[in-house]
Every structure is written in structure tokens, then in C-alpha cells.
Amino acid sequence: KIFRFNQFSDRFELVVDLQNETEVNKIGLYVNTLFFDSTNTLWIGTTVGTFYSKVSGSELVGLTIISDLTSQSFAESGSGHIWEGTEAGVNLLDDEDSIRNEVPEKNELSVATKQLRISALFYDSQNNKLWIGSVNKGVSVYDFKEKTLIDLSKTTPHIPVRSIVKDTRNTVII
């Protein structure tokens, strides 16, 4: 279930019950993460897959499931692409004619991270890099300019990464 807080009534209101509003009738459907992209699309990462929907006022319009992988994190790159961190690596979710389609076969990042259980993503717009935190292998960084994945697991603690952010001094914090 997804709720929104109404500041005028000072209470939470149900936006959508994914179990009842979709054809996905799986026990254990839980929301892991929510992400708004620059087009006001709401991406919903769950234990049974990835959903997306446009938002109009307080309504979700066109709620659609596009993946059956457990989704933990999203990031939007400077080109407007949406990257999804899943139990089986990083996938590119692409926008074609306003229809969202999963296109993991079109990017080398999907193949390079297939063995990682992604828990956090952070896009560094200043340096055009995608920081990738995983449960099983620490931190990696994908450099979009060089098209390379840099494995930092030897220089970072080998612990599950839950969040990645950057401060005002351009320091990445994990």
C-alpha cells in the first residue's frame, strides 16, 4: 500500500493498494522504494517487481508493472534514463514514445552487475557516474564517459550498503 500525507487534514490517505489494484496477486508484495523522476512518473520498487505510474493530482494514472525482479533503488541519469537496482544487478528502464519499457539487453551495465544484489543507487550528475551499493559486494561506480565499472570492494568495507548521498562539498557518503 502507498499512502500520501494530507497536510490540511493532518492524516495519511491511501493512494493505491498494489495488491488490489493490479493483477499481481502474490503474497508478500511489499514496497521497498519510491522514486519520482523528472517527468513526474512515480517508480515503485517492490518485492515482486517494478511498477510505474504518472501522477495526476492525488491519483495514479496507468499503473503498470514492467519487471518481476525485486527492486530496491532507482536513480535518474543526466540523459533522463531511469536506472533500477535489483536483486540481479542494475537495469536501464527506458522511455520510448511515453511508454516505459525495460531494456536491460541494451546496456553493458546490466551484464557487468548481474551478480550484484543492488541495495542503493546514486547518480552523480557533476561527474556523470552511477554509484552502486550492494548487499553482497560493497560499492562499485559506473563511469558513463569511460563506459567502465570500477569495483571499489577492495577499498571499501565489505558490508551491505544501504544508502549513498553526496554533500555540498562534493563528497560521496556511504
Side-chain angles (χ1 to χ4, degrees):
K1 295 181 181 179
I2 298 174
F3 296 88
R4 72 179 176 98
F5 183 72
N6 183 327
Q7 61 187 0
F8 301 108
S9 65
D10 196 29
R11 55 178 248 215
F12 285 93
E13 300 167 347
L14 182 65
V15 173
V16 66
D17 182 343
L18 293 173
Q19 194 78 45
N20 293 328
E21 296 288 328
T22 65
E23 295 178 12
V24 178
N25 293 315
K26 294 184 179 179
I27 296 173
L29 188 159
Y30 299 104
V31 174
N32 291 330
T33 187
L34 300 171
F35 177 79
F36 272 106
D37 68 15
S38 61
T39 67
N40 205 36
T41 297
L42 175 63
W43 295 90
I44 307 164
T46 75
T47 53
V48 300
T50 302
F51 296 81
Y52 73 91
S53 179
K54 285 292 186 183
V55 178
S56 177
S58 62
E59 302 288 320
L60 296 184
V61 180
L63 184 65
T64 306
I65 186 166
I66 58 169
S67 166
D68 61 357
L69 294 171
T70 297
S71 181
Q72 296 288 351
S73 186
F74 298 102
E76 183 173 8
S77 65
S79 59
H81 289 105
I82 306 301
W83 297 91
E84 169 192 36
T86 74
E87 63 190 342
V90 176
N91 291 323
L92 169 64
L93 304 175
D94 203 10
D95 185 358
E96 293 178 8
D97 300 324
S98 299
I99 298 172
R100 299 285 180 171
N101 296 305
E102 188 173 8
V103 288
E105 69 279 355
K106 290 185 180 179
N107 68 82
E108 61 277 354
L109 188 52
S110 175
V111 174
T113 61
K114 198 170 221 61
Q115 301 302 316
L116 300 179
R117 291 179 49 219
I118 308 302
S119 52
L121 293 176
F122 172 75
Y123 177 70
D124 179 355
S125 60
Q126 206 165 18
N127 298 303
N128 199 23
K129 293 180 180 178
L130 183 66
W131 288 77
I132 303 165
S134 72
V135 172
N136 60 330
K137 199 164 179 192
V139 180
S140 299
V141 178
Y142 185 76
D143 186 326
F144 285 99
K145 194 162 123 183
E146 301 295 325
K147 304 273 190 234
T148 57
L149 182 68
I150 304 158
D151 180 1
L152 299 177
S153 64
K154 291 179 177 59
T155 60
T156 57
H158 199 274
I159 57 173
V161 176
R162 300 287 180 220
S163 185
I164 304 171
V165 295
K166 189 163 81 168
D167 68 13
T168 57
R169 294 175 299 189
N170 209 24
T171 303
V172 174
I173 300 171
I174 298 169

